[in-house]
Amino acid sequence: MLENLPPCPKCSSEYTYEMNALVVCPECGNEWVPAVGGAEDTSVSGERVVRDSVGNVLSDGDTVTVVKALKVKGSPSGIKAGTKVRNIRLVDGVDGHDIDCKIDGFGAMQLKSSVVKKA
């Protein structure tokens, strides 16, 4: 648990709270994973480091598990929590979607690293 929670990066609200591994802003609804030790998401070599919802470092080819149910536009049923996704690819996606993958029954799509856990 963090003693001093950081303010919201979107609206600068100081009323943030922890929910599992995420920090949540009640004013704007923003959710994010706090930086561990105040470090940026870059390694010593300058490359971007992508972390899952519990802080594990992800890399290309990993297998991950979806940790919360996701709605899929145009599909009557969404992606259920616990769905395994194999052979992910890390990309610089739009709007925080930094994982490119194929999910059985849904096809190719992008996911946010904050909704997956390394398997």
Side-chain angles (χ1 to χ4, degrees), residues 86-107:
R86 293 178 179 84
N87 199 18
I88 64 168
R89 202 166 46 104
L90 302 178
V91 295
D92 288 329
V94 179
D95 196 30
H97 293 84
D98 46 10
I99 296 174
D100 196 18
C101 62
K102 254 186 210 177
I103 300 178
D104 293 338
F106 291 97

Side-chain angles (χ1 to χ4, degrees), residues 48 50 70-71 89-100 109-115:
R48 190 173 69 107
V50 177
L70 303 172
K71 294 181 182 176
R89 202 166 46 104
L90 302 178
V91 295
D92 288 329
V94 179
D95 196 30
H97 293 84
D98 46 10
I99 296 174
D100 196 18
M109 62 177 46
Q110 290 187 339
L111 298 172
K112 292 184 178 183
S113 60
S114 62
V115 297

